[in-house]
Amino acid sequence: MKKYRIFLIIAGIIFFITTLTIYLNRVVFPVQIKKLVTAQAETFLKRKVEIGDLRFSWMRGFLVNKIKVYQKDSDQVLLQAENLNFGLIIIPGFKQQNITIPFIHVESPSIQVIHTGENTWNFSDILTSLTAPPKTDDKPSPFTVVVAGIDISNGKARLADTATARHWTALLADL
């Protein structure tokens, strides 16, 4: 009788986890989380962002397919990746939340880097907003983020210089 109860408890837990995963992957991630992540990324990067598919796997973590970040005020792609998956561990605290990303795997990323002027690149505005000094009334972030490792496979980079008289382009593959 005791073995039967343990079996029912384990079966119930497996059923609950399976049902939760199916619900997350069919309702929450493709609709609500994808919309939220896209809006936040567009606000932060000040560029159009597209995400093809967003899912969760208990074994592989969060899976994102076909990510595209466009050039500012253009329909040309700045950065894209076929697949991205990452793990996420959140350790709650009273004043500081610790977020650990144990792994990030990026498959087939490509980036287009264009030198547009003296000390100006097609992504300079992103760097400027990241390195801007904090406002005096800003509170410190309640989050600490740590990334343990990044794995990139089959990467490509297209470098172009349009700022000088001698325009040139180079393609770096298998990064």
Side-chain angles (χ1 to χ4, degrees):
M1 190 66 151
K2 198 172 194 178
K3 290 181 183 179
Y4 182 69
R5 274 193 237 168
I6 292 173
F7 174 75
L8 283 178
I9 291 171
I10 291 173
I13 291 170
I14 291 172
F15 177 75
F16 175 74
I17 290 173
T18 304
T19 306
L20 178 65
T21 304
I22 291 170
Y23 176 73
L24 288 174
N25 286 330
R26 295 208 179 177
V27 177
V28 176
F29 284 113
V31 179
Q32 297 168 342
I33 301 297
K34 178 179 166 183
K35 187 174 165 182
L36 176 72
V37 168
T38 303
Q40 290 294 319
E42 286 179 347
T43 301
F44 180 73
L45 298 172
K46 298 175 183 75
R47 288 168 164 67
K48 181 181 173 190
V49 176
E50 289 181 2
I51 297 175
D53 187 31
L54 184 61
R55 295 185 326 261
F56 175 74
S57 167
W58 290 100
M59 301 302 243
R60 295 180 53 202
F62 295 93
L63 306 152
V64 185
N65 294 329
K66 302 206 185 314
I67 305 166
K68 289 184 182 179
V69 177
Y70 289 89
Q71 305 272 358
K72 189 168 188 163
D73 302 324
S74 175
D75 60 348
Q76 291 184 332
V77 176
L78 168 69
L79 174 69
Q80 68 181 0
E82 283 298 312
N83 296 308
L84 168 87
N85 69 308
F86 61 94
L88 187 66
I89 300 170
I90 300 174
I91 302 169
F94 289 111
K95 292 184 179 181
Q96 190 84 15
Q97 307 292 326
N98 295 320
I99 299 173
T100 302
I101 302 172
F103 63 89
I104 298 175
H105 298 293
V106 185
E107 293 177 28
S108 302
S110 65
I111 187 167
Q112 181 169 271
V113 178
I114 302 172
H115 185 225
T116 56
E118 187 175 333
N119 298 326
T120 308
W121 301 81
N122 59 339
F123 57 88
S124 293
D125 60 314
I126 298 172
L127 295 177
T128 304
S129 65
L130 286 175
T131 59
K135 298 174 188 171
T136 57
D137 60 342
D138 282 351
K139 296 178 183 176
S141 175
F143 300 104
T144 300
V145 179
V146 176
V147 178
I150 300 175
D151 177 36
I152 299 174
S153 62
N154 300 324
K156 295 179 186 173
R158 182 179 164 269
L159 309 173
D161 188 354
T162 60
T164 60
R166 188 180 149 243
H167 296 298
W168 60 268
T169 302
L171 180 64
L172 306 173
D174 296 327
L175 301 175

